[in-house]
Amino acid sequence: MEPPWRSHMSSVFIFMAAVIFISSHYFVTTAVTDVEQKFKLFIKKYQKPYKIGSEEYYKRLKIFQDSLKKHHHLNSLRTSNHSAIYGVTKFSDLTDEEFIAQYLDDTKKPLKHHLLKSQGGYVKNTQKQTTDHSYKSFEPQKWDWRTDWKWPVITKVKNQRSCGGCWAFSSVESVETMYAIKTKDLRDLSVQQVIDCAAYGNFGCRGGDTCHALYWMKLTRTPLVTDQEYPLTDTSDFCKIEPNATKGVSLTDYTCDKFINHGQSTEGQMVSMLLNGPLTISVDATSWKDYLGGIIQYHCYNFNNHAVQIIGYDLTGPVPYFIIRNSWGDDFGLNGYIHIRIGNNVCGVAEEVSSIQV
């Protein structure tokens, strides 16, 4: 015969197991419900087309849930209040592979630069190379072309959407600014014209290279018309402009260089160059998918899959940084901008750097 205490203990264990099961089920259900509620708010905010209850809806919900876990992991690695912050963005329903295919497959490996040199379209920076710490005593300690010039010289943040034309956006943006600095006339110039017309290793919305775009502008002396005259369609099409039959803004010269010396970045040079005007650069933007703010210091590499514009810098804090203008709309990052640490070639900022003259 079984002792009474053993029967009592069995009942207790069964009761405790039931409580644990119910509690764990409650917390899992609550967690899933909380994630789905966030996902529904995400759908509403970014006007995503997912129909609740559909197969696509649950597929994207799972990806969204994975994104939340990734954000938590990345934020757990922050080393200070200056570190980058990651969270829900308009890309949180995409896998990393989908994000790369849709938004980062738009820079092509440059043609051999000797081709550009041989045609007289490549200007190498000949200033003396310095270490990446040469900016520490630089004056002024802060510069931002949005606010520090005498008149407006930066147009609004653009949105390339699904067109792989970052190389065209960043190149045209620098032409806009340099022309405004020179003439006080700030114009929205046609990115679509460059997407459609720029040859020499560029492939419209299927990708291109910033140095090749600038080479095309100089070699053909094609004036850039306004966006109103040649509006953005976010698709590739045939060129609708005759090079010698239009009036617009022409590029007169440019530099295209790599600020790496014996494996070390020489970004002090770039800081100095920014006082003359913005720089167009190629970067690795793989980790930008989840960026909300702060200074990116890690989680990216020195290969290039995206092109952007540097419009300033800030050396005053413990982590000096470049101010980067992106082309994913003003609902990305810091109203369309992103901060990247100066030094150590973070995200490959020193791999392909261009300045221009108009």
Side-chain angles (χ1 to χ4, degrees), residues 69-340:
K69 294 176 182 177
K70 179 183 177 184
H71 304 158
H72 177 75
H73 173 69
L74 289 174
N75 288 330
S76 72
L77 301 175
R78 298 181 74 220
T79 56
S80 73
N81 291 332
H82 303 284
S83 300
I85 302 171
Y86 300 93
V88 174
T89 70
K90 59 184 175 182
F91 308 122
S92 293
D93 57 336
L94 300 176
T95 65
D96 289 346
E97 293 75 18
E98 288 173 332
F99 175 72
I100 291 170
Q102 292 184 35
Y103 293 94
L104 300 183
D105 194 25
D106 48 359
T107 55
K108 300 301 181 185
K109 196 170 184 178
L111 298 174
K112 295 295 183 182
H113 280 160
H114 66 73
L115 170 63
L116 305 186
K117 290 179 181 179
S118 67
Q119 297 296 328
Y122 181 90
V123 182
K124 183 173 176 59
N125 190 294
T126 57
Q127 298 181 39
K128 184 180 178 181
Q129 296 293 301
T130 57
T131 68
D132 63 340
H133 300 295
S134 61
Y135 54 81
K136 289 188 174 180
S137 59
F138 193 80
E139 293 292 341
Q141 285 280 286
K142 293 174 64 174
W143 186 262
D144 188 334
W145 281 103
R146 293 172 295 182
T147 57
D148 291 336
W149 195 240
K150 306 166 191 174
W151 52 81
V153 294
I154 299 289
T155 55
K156 292 180 179 180
V157 171
K158 298 174 175 63
N159 193 341
Q160 69 182 74
R161 303 186 191 281
S162 59
C163 172
C166 65
W167 57 275
F169 280 84
S170 53
S171 299
V172 170
E173 287 163 0
S174 287
V175 175
E176 290 172 341
T177 296
M178 296 309 293
Y179 185 72
I181 292 171
K182 184 176 182 178
T183 66
K184 299 185 181 181
D185 181 7
L186 180 60
R187 304 180 181 183
D188 274 297
L189 297 177
S190 176
V191 176
Q192 192 65 45
Q193 178 187 357
V194 178
I195 289 173
D196 290 347
C197 303
Y200 304 100
N202 299 311
F203 304 95
C205 284
R206 293 186 293 115
D209 178 72
T210 53
C211 292
H212 296 163
L214 299 176
Y215 172 63
W216 168 79
M217 290 181 201
K218 180 180 179 181
L219 184 69
T220 64
R221 304 212 176 266
T222 301
L224 298 186
V225 301
T226 65
D227 182 67
Q228 186 175 7
E229 295 173 89
Y230 201 141
L232 187 65
T233 65
D234 292 315
T235 58
S236 300
D237 206 342
F238 64 89
C239 184
K240 304 173 183 65
I241 290 288
E242 291 291 335
N244 299 319
T246 58
K247 293 183 179 181
V249 180
S250 297
L251 180 145
T252 60
D253 213 343
Y254 73 97
T255 67
C256 181
D257 210 354
K258 181 173 184 175
F259 287 85
I260 305 291
N261 187 24
H262 300 295
Q264 297 293 318
S265 65
T266 56
E267 291 162 55
Q269 291 276 89
M270 296 168 62
V271 171
S272 177
M273 292 170 67
L274 279 166
L275 293 182
N276 296 319
L279 302 175
T280 296
I281 64 170
S282 294
V283 293
D284 167 31
T286 307
S287 66
W288 297 10
K289 170 176 174 278
D290 308 292
Y291 176 82
L292 293 181
I295 305 169
I296 289 185
Q297 305 173 59
Y298 317 102
H299 313 309
C300 54
Y301 303 93
N302 61 358
F303 61 84
N304 304 137
N305 53 29
H306 190 48
V308 292
Q309 182 191 41
I310 307 181
I311 58 97
Y313 61 85
D314 190 330
L315 311 178
T316 60
V319 183
Y321 61 85
F322 287 121
I323 304 169
I324 308 285
R325 179 189 188 185
N326 203 359
S327 54
W328 293 343
D330 59 11
D331 57 350
F332 163 80
L334 300 166
N335 298 316
Y337 288 81
I338 187 168
H339 295 163
I340 295 182

